[in-house]
């Protein structure tokens, strides 16, 4: 009993001494445990909260199973079909006022509206509800006022209190923006549609004074897929068809943010476990003498292992508890932007829970404490694994100061003798090459941190890139104008191809009169149903028909296989359609234009994020019936003089301010502005998180290696090395390792970028979306700022070098020597011949 008490007392004394002796290492590990739990708990809960909130938002907004937007010319046909369709349980028909662009004025000028549609409606509807800032439904609007999505208002440059002047009959009527709303259906920039709620009186006045109107049908289906198939058998073209399932793909950025944070948390956990292994191995190697002694008096291997495990288990438990306590307010802070654009449940209880069913009973599982327990459990498993070498240590090794035999080969793999390399640089490089294991945490932290920054940054760069417009509605060119559409090419369904080409020639002449030489063209979207082997595929497609005075000029679209269609009976289709139809290049399909079906040969493969990837491209020689043209997005402007394109765009804007001339980058910014802003904020946040992670890792490793090198530093000082030279040695090796780690992370990003891009855009039908890079920030500024942080951290960690004197040969962290410290001299003698310091001494002699 007495012996057990002695062993227990020794156990806790050793543990207490170790906690004091490794204060820095323990504090850094505690910080990592707090951060790991904080990010893992909050991000896991936020993923559940995002999906729960999105589903709730769609439910309370009464999003229909199917939504159709069509011309009023087909009202009777649509009503008759829905009345007889067995899969349509109920539906609501809405009439939208579609004003001409020149009829909307803001601050005395034409509204710079960059979207496909802007229309007016009333809030007295059963579907597609809109909510105010307090999450209350917008059920009425005061005459003279209006309500619209906050996202769309921002995109149009409007704020609360602004006034729009709208032509009604022969006069203008003013409307004040009083409600910035949450709109699940029309509230996303990439939807391409702006809806404005007016009072019933104002709406009726506008409806009676404009011939332009659109009809929309919101349908609740007993079977959405069968409803779609039944519609596809009708001869009714639509401008827009949206399903509830496809609508959720518009919220990509909202899903990316919490998903990215959980990736950060996992990366931090990996780094923390590597640091844990580094810390335990470093401590065990330093405590070999104590381990040998306590094993010699009969303490079991498992008890010795638990001495180290309990310390880190306790640290991880404290860190997990602190991180868990902070995860709730931190998670609320991260999810706050979603609350601004989505309707929150009246009770937030269970929002951050993963929901599933146990039989028929719904169960909500809180993710936060589970993640905290997971962090502690991983720490325990890793600690048990890394303490296995304790079993091989013996009292004999303690007597021999840790040596198991004589070693006659030098430790380093490069030689200083005969080389021109400076001694300080040699010390740094030799330390890295001969002790790579010690720098693994730094390599890993830098590589993962760069990936955490680069991957979301490249998604944001891809979204706003002009190249990505090729995956949208139109082809790539110098500049675009949607205002010219309303002014010159309005009413495409009532026009012929010669009339459209004549209008484009008039545009070219107008620019020529101002001294600007351009080629004007237009891209029309034409709706059709697609068949294979005379069997309807169930897919309605939008075909891109490019109209130009010069049909021989190729359009700038990326073909991933095959070639562009050239003959009138050739088309290019997306790989989404190729998989759906089970066709290959060279196969034929049928396109249905009302009473006529036409056979086409597939010559090329494209990709598109437009219309869920159901897009085709017609040949320049083909002229499909314009009766089925549903949309003319914009006029494309191509400058004949290829010098100084940006300067010519600026000149055109000055000459024709009413045409709202845009670049491809500006169009993509308008379509994905909110998503890009969200991702940009995420990148900035991840940068600062990565900087903190890297600085903590570098400080811990630098501090540990400085303790390990104390005897070598004493020896270097004894042969004339200055504090500055020794500090340069410590800083150089850290900066070399950090630079290599950053380059490794950048290299890995080029491998992972296509995979991340595929995951991000694949659901929208473009898994080959070409990644674009912001070279300045992604590959220069962010790495440079991280290296600066590492440099400052390393300098701070190396300040202790000046306090080490030739007489200081005691134990690390200024602990007093133990009673048996006479072996220190022997240990120094054993280390000195293999140290880099001795090699410098040899060169000096």
């Amino acid at each position: 009993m007495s012996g057990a008490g002695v062993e227990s007392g020794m156990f806790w004394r050793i543990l207490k001494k170790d906690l004091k002796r490794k204060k820095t290492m323990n504090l850094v590990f505690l910080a990592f445990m707090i951060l790991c739990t904080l990010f893992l708990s909050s991000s896991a809960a936020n993923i559940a909260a995002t999906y729960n909130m999105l589903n709730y938002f769609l439910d309370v907004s009464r999003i229909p199973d199917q939504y159709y937007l069509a011309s009023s010319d087909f009202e009777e046909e649509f009503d008759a079909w829905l009345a007889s369709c067995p899969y349509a349980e109920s539906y609501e028909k809405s009439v939208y006022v579609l004003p001409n662009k020149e009829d909307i004025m803001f601050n005395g000028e034409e509204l710079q509206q960059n979207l496909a549609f802007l229309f007016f409606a009333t809030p007295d509807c059963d579907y597609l509800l809109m909510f105010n800032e307090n999450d209350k439904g917008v059920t009425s609007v005061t005459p003279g006022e209006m309500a619209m999505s906050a996202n769309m208002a921002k995109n149009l440059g409007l704020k609360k209190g602004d006034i729009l002047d709208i032509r009604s009959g022969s006069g203008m009527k003013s409307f004040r923006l009083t409600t910035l709303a949450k709109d699940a259906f029309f509230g996303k920039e990439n939807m391409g549609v702006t809806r404005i709620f007016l009072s019933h009186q104002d709406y009726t006045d506008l409806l009676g004074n404009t011939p332009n109107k659109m009809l929309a049908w919101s349908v609740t289906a007993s079977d959405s897929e069968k409803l779609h198939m039944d519609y596809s058998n009708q001869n009714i073209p639509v401008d827009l068809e949206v399903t509830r399932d496809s609508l959720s793909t518009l919220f990509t950025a909202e899903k990316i943010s919490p998903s990215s944070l959980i990736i950060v948390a996992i990366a931090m956990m990996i780094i923390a476990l590597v640091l844990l292994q580094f810390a335990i191995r470093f401590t065990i190697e330093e405590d070999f003498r104590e381990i040998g002694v306590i094993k010699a008096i009969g303490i079991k291997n498992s008890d010795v292992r638990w001495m180290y495990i309990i310390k880190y288990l306790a640290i991880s438990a404290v860190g997990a508890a602190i991180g868990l306590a902070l995860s709730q307010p931190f998670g609320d802070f991260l999810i706050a932007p979603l609350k601004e654009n989505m309707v929150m449940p009246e009770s937030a209880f269970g929002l951050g829970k993963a929901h599933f069913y146990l039989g028929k009973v719904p169960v909500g599982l809180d993710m936060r404490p589970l993640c905290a327990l997971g962090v502690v459990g991983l720490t325990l498993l890793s600690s048990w694994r890394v303490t296995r070498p304790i079993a091989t240590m013996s009292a004999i090794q303690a007597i021999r100061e840790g040596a198991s035999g004589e070693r006659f080969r030098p430790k380093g793999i490069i030689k200083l003798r005969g080389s021109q390399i400076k001694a300080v640089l040699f010390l740094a490089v030799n330390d890295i090459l001969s002790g790579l294991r010690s720098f693994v945490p730094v390599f890993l932290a830098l590589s993962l941190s760069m990936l955490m920054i680069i991957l979301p940054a490249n998604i944001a760069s891809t979204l706003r890139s002009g190249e990505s417009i090729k995956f949208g509605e139109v082809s790539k060119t110098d500049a675009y104008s949607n205002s010219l559409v309303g002014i010159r090419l309005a009413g495409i369904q009532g026009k012929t191809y010669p009339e459209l080409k004549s209008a484009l020639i008039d545009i070219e002449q107008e620019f020529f009169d101002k001294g600007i030489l351009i080629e004007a063209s237009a891209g029309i979207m034409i709706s059709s149903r697609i068949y294979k082997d005379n069997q309807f595929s169930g897919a309605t497609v939008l075909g891109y028909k490019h109209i130009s005075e010069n049909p021989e000029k190729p359009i700038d679209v990326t073909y991933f296989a095959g070639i562009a269609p050239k003959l009138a009976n050739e088309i290019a289709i997306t790989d989404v359609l190729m998989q759906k139809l089970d066709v290959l290049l060279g196969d034929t399909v049928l396109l249905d234009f009302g009473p006529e079906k036409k056979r086409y040969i597939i010559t090329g493969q494209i990709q598109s994020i437009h219309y869920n990837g159901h897009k085709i491209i017609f040949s320049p020689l083909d002229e499909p019936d314009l009766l089925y043209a549903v949309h003319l997005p914009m006029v494309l402007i191509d400058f004949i003089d290829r010098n100084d394109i940006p300067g010519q765009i600026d000149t055109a804007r000055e000459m024709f301010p009413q045409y709202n001339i845009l670049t491809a980058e500006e169009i993509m910014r308008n379509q994905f502005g909110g998503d890009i802003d969200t991702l940009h904020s995420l990148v900035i946040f991840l940068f600062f998180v990565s900087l903190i992670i890297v600085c903590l890792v570098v400080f811990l490793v630098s501090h540990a290696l400085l303790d390990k090198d104390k005897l070598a530093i004493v020896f270097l000082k004894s042969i004339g090395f200055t504090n500055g030279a020794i500090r340069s040695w410590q800083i150089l090796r850290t900066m070399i390792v950090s630079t290599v780690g950053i380059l490794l992370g950048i290299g890995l990003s080029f491998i992972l970028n296509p995979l991340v891009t595929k995951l991000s855009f694949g659901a929208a039908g473009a898994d080959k979306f070409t990644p674009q890079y912001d070279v300045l920030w992604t590959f220069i500024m962010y790495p440079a700022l991280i290296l600066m942080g590492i440099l400052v951290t390393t300098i701070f960690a190396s300040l202790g070098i000046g306090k080490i004197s030739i007489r200081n040969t005691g134990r690390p962290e200024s602990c007093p020597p133990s009673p048996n410290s006479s072996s220190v001299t022997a240990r120094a003698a054993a280390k000195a011949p293999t140290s880099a310091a001795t090699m410098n001494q040899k060169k000096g002699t």
Side-chain angles (χ1 to χ4, degrees):
M1 193 75 178
S2 176
V6 172
E7 290 182 9
S8 176
M10 179 182 294
F11 180 94
W12 290 110
R13 282 198 302 274
I14 293 173
L15 182 59
K16 182 179 179 181
K17 184 181 72 171
D18 188 71
L19 284 171
K20 290 181 179 180
R21 188 158 51 96
K22 300 294 180 186
K23 291 192 296 289
T24 301
M25 191 175 292
N26 295 336
L27 288 173
V28 171
F29 185 70
L30 175 65
F32 258 93
M33 289 296 98
I34 294 173
L35 290 174
C36 283
T37 307
L38 175 65
F39 280 101
L40 193 60
S41 299
S42 58
S43 57
N46 280 5
I47 287 177
T50 299
Y51 282 87
N52 294 337
M53 194 187 306
L54 177 57
N55 291 331
Y56 178 82
F57 189 26
L58 297 180
D59 287 339
V60 298
S61 299
R62 292 293 311 275
I63 302 301
D65 296 319
Q66 297 280 147
Y67 174 86
Y68 303 95
L69 183 68
S71 168
S72 57
D73 297 336
F74 300 95
E75 180 177 5
E76 293 182 3
E77 292 90 333
F78 231 107
D79 285 340
W81 166 62
L82 287 175
S84 62
C85 179
Y87 310 111
E89 292 185 344
S90 62
Y91 69 92
E92 178 183 60
K93 179 171 64 176
S94 304
V95 182
Y96 300 146
V97 176
L98 192 65
N100 294 321
K101 184 172 176 60
E102 58 269 22
D103 292 339
I104 307 176
M105 306 295 291
F106 176 53
N107 291 334
E109 298 181 355
E110 185 179 302
L111 179 66
Q112 299 299 302
Q113 199 271 109
N114 305 322
L115 303 172
F117 295 107
L118 184 149
F119 60 81
F120 300 103
T122 58
D124 51 345
C125 50
D126 293 328
Y127 293 89
L128 308 179
L129 306 182
M130 194 184 286
F131 297 84
N132 62 21
E133 297 94 329
N134 299 318
D135 291 351
K136 303 299 181 182
V138 179
T139 56
S140 64
V141 178
T142 303
E145 297 180 354
M146 59 182 179
M148 66 184 301
S149 161
N151 277 341
M152 294 297 100
K154 180 182 178 181
N155 196 37
L156 297 175
L158 302 176
K159 61 183 183 299
K160 196 170 183 177
D162 283 346
I163 295 176
L164 289 183
D165 296 315
I166 302 170
R167 190 178 306 280
S168 178
S170 59
M172 301 292 288
K173 190 170 183 178
S174 297
F175 297 89
R176 182 182 298 276
L177 178 59
T178 57
T179 303
L180 296 175
K182 302 175 182 181
D183 192 341
F185 198 84
F186 298 110
K188 295 290 290 181
E189 298 93 329
N190 44 357
M191 187 69 179
V193 181
T194 299
R195 175 176 62 166
I196 298 178
F197 273 174
L198 301 177
S199 70
H200 191 78
Q201 176 185 335
D202 292 332
Y203 166 81
T204 304
D205 290 343
L206 288 178
L207 185 62
N209 288 295
T210 179
N212 301 328
K213 61 182 181 180
M214 298 290 291
L215 297 180
W217 288 265
S218 301
V219 186
T220 297
S222 58
D223 190 316
S224 185
E225 182 65 27
K226 289 181 179 179
L227 175 71
H228 171 69
M229 293 292 292
D230 194 63
Y231 158 72
S232 301
N233 290 322
Q234 313 301 314
N235 186 25
I236 310 174
V238 294
D239 290 336
L240 184 67
E241 179 185 4
V242 180
T243 67
R244 177 182 167 121
D245 292 338
S246 65
L247 184 67
S248 64
T249 62
L250 299 178
F251 293 85
T252 301
E254 287 81 355
K255 296 175 183 177
I256 286 177
S257 297
S259 300
S260 299
L261 289 179
I262 203 161
I263 292 173
V264 171
I266 292 172
M268 289 185 65
M269 194 67 220
I270 294 172
I271 297 171
L273 293 178
V274 172
L275 279 177
L276 175 65
Q277 295 185 28
F278 171 82
I280 293 178
R281 284 198 182 101
F282 180 80
T283 305
I284 290 174
E285 289 174 1
E286 196 172 53
D287 292 346
F288 66 91
R289 185 159 52 92
E290 287 83 353
I291 293 171
V293 170
I294 61 178
K295 289 181 69 174
I297 64 174
I299 297 180
K300 298 177 182 179
N301 285 325
S302 58
D303 292 336
V304 180
R305 293 175 73 177
W306 274 109
M307 180 179 67
Y308 293 95
I309 293 172
I310 285 176
K311 180 183 78 168
Y312 290 105
L313 187 62
I315 293 173
S316 67
V318 172
I322 297 173
L324 181 61
L326 296 175
S327 65
Q328 180 69 54
F330 183 67
D332 291 342
F333 168 75
L334 294 177
I335 210 169
L338 268 67
K339 295 178 182 178
E340 294 177 1
N341 297 312
M342 291 186 189
V343 177
M344 281 282 293
E346 291 184 4
S347 173
F349 177 76
L351 192 62
K353 292 184 177 181
H355 291 87
F356 61 94
Y357 284 87
L358 190 60
K360 294 184 178 181
V361 180
V363 178
L365 198 60
D366 196 341
M367 304 299 294
R368 292 187 176 92
L370 286 178
C371 292
L373 288 174
V375 169
V376 176
L378 285 173
T379 303
L380 176 61
L381 291 175
S382 183
S383 300
W384 184 258
R385 177 182 174 277
V386 79
T387 54
R388 285 182 300 181
I390 288 177
T392 63
M393 292 184 176
S394 65
I396 298 299
Q397 283 182 281
I399 295 171
R400 302 183 64 176
E401 295 294 332
S404 57
E406 298 296 336
R407 175 173 57 81
F408 298 99
R409 290 181 301 173
K411 184 179 179 183
I413 62 175
I414 60 173
K415 296 181 179 180
L416 181 62
R417 184 184 299 275
S419 69
Q420 299 300 315
I421 189 172
K422 292 185 178 296
V424 170
L425 179 59
F426 169 81
L427 285 172
V429 174
N430 190 65
D431 280 356
I432 296 169
L433 295 178
S434 60
L436 281 175
R437 193 179 195 181
S438 300
F439 298 97
V440 167
V442 179
F443 278 120
L444 190 65
L446 266 298
S447 300
L448 292 178
S449 296
M450 289 310 302
L451 288 175
M452 288 191 295
I453 297 170
I454 292 174
L455 296 180
N458 287 341
I459 294 176
S461 299
T462 300
L463 281 177
R464 65 171 173 258
S465 166
E467 289 297 314
S468 58
I469 201 170
K470 299 177 184 179
F471 294 84
E473 289 185 299
V474 296
S475 60
K476 179 103 167 34
T477 192
D478 297 332
Y480 305 82
S481 170
N482 51 20
S483 299
L484 275 167
V485 173
I487 297 173
R488 297 287 191 180
L489 301 172
I492 56 174
Q493 290 181 338
K495 286 185 167 57
T496 64
Y497 282 98
E499 288 175 330
L500 292 175
K501 291 179 181 179
S502 176
L504 293 173
I505 293 173
D506 291 341
I507 293 172
E508 292 174 351
Q509 183 63 45
E510 186 176 2
F511 276 71
F512 177 77
D513 293 341
K514 295 290 187 178
I516 304 174
L517 300 179
I518 67 166
E519 288 184 10
S521 59
I524 296 180
M525 307 306 295
I526 299 176
S527 177
S528 175
R529 290 177 298 232
I530 190 166
Y531 294 73
K532 178 192 175 185
D533 300 329
N534 292 319
Q535 297 293 321
F536 178 56
S537 65
T540 301
V541 300
L542 285 186
Y544 178 71
K545 167 59 184 171
H546 195 79
I547 302 175
S548 173
E549 184 187 0
N550 178 17
E552 299 297 325
K553 185 173 181 178
I555 59 176
D556 192 357
V557 174
T558 300
Y559 293 90
F560 294 96
I563 60 174
K566 297 180 179 178
L567 302 179
N569 66 336
E570 295 178 346
I571 59 171
I573 71 174
T574 61
D575 56 355
V576 171
L577 283 172
M578 293 182 75
Q579 293 174 19
K580 185 178 183 67
L581 298 171
D582 191 21
V583 294
L584 300 173
L585 295 178
D587 290 346
T588 61
V589 294
L590 291 176
L591 294 182
D592 182 2
F593 300 103
E596 109 178 86
K597 291 186 178 68
K598 185 175 178 180
R599 187 173 297 277
Y600 288 88
I601 301 172
I602 303 172
T603 64
Q605 176 189 323
I606 61 172
Q607 285 202 332
S608 174
I609 57 174
H610 181 62
Y611 207 61
N612 289 330
H614 288 189
K615 179 182 176 181
I616 64 176
I617 294 180
F618 292 107
S619 160
L621 301 180
D622 190 21
E623 294 187 346
D625 193 341
L626 289 177
L627 177 64
Y628 298 92
V630 296
H631 184 30
L632 198 163
M634 55 197 74
V635 171
L636 286 68
I637 300 171
D638 192 13
F639 293 97
I640 295 176
D641 183 2
R642 305 310 298 165
N643 296 317
D644 190 20
I645 299 298
Q648 294 186 74
I649 292 175
D650 291 339
T651 302
R653 285 171 171 168
E654 293 175 5
M655 298 290 185
F656 305 101
Q658 72 277 19
Y659 289 160
N660 188 30
I661 297 172
L662 303 169
T663 63
E665 289 80 3
E666 290 167 334
I667 290 175
M668 298 309 295
R669 175 76 192 187
N670 290 336
Q671 290 185 0
F672 297 100
D675 292 346
I676 294 173
D677 291 340
T678 300
L679 288 171
H680 182 69
S681 300
L682 177 64
V683 171
I684 299 299
F685 175 75
L686 291 178
F687 165 73
F688 284 107
V689 170
S690 299
L691 187 60
I692 293 171
I693 293 172
V694 167
C695 289
L696 283 174
V697 172
V698 168
F699 183 80
L700 175 61
V701 173
S702 298
H703 194 274
L705 292 179
L706 182 61
D707 282 344
K708 188 177 181 180
D709 293 335
K710 273 188 176 180
L711 293 177
I713 292 171
V714 169
F715 192 84
L716 287 173
K717 286 188 175 184
S718 69
I719 61 174
F721 277 77
T722 64
N723 287 332
I726 297 172
R727 188 175 291 116
S728 298
W729 158 41
Q730 299 280 325
I731 293 172
L732 263 177
R733 69 181 179 187
T734 303
M735 296 306 293
I736 291 171
V737 170
S738 301
T739 303
V740 174
I742 286 176
L743 293 176
L744 179 61
I746 292 174
L748 288 173
S749 72
F750 286 103
I751 299 174
L752 296 177
N753 259 322
L755 175 61
V756 174
T757 304
K758 180 176 181 178
L759 293 175
S760 302
F761 301 104
D767 59 359
K768 294 186 178 66
F769 213 111
T770 308
Q772 303 295 318
Y773 306 104
D774 184 350
V775 176
L776 176 62
W777 277 98
T778 305
F779 301 125
I780 299 177
M781 295 301 296
Y782 287 135
L785 290 172
I786 286 181
L787 282 175
M788 287 178 61
I790 293 172
L791 179 61
V792 172
T793 303
T794 310
I795 291 173
F796 181 74
S798 65
L799 292 178
I801 290 175
K803 299 178 182 179
I804 300 175
S805 67
I806 296 177
R807 294 184 301 275
N808 185 3
T809 58
R811 296 178 65 84
E813 299 207 24
S814 301
C815 286
S818 65
N820 295 324
S821 61
S822 58
S823 60
V824 168
T825 306
R827 187 187 304 180
K831 288 186 177 181
T834 61
S835 67
T838 305
M839 301 186 76
N840 279 275
Q841 185 189 33
K842 291 179 179 179
K843 182 174 181 180
T845 57

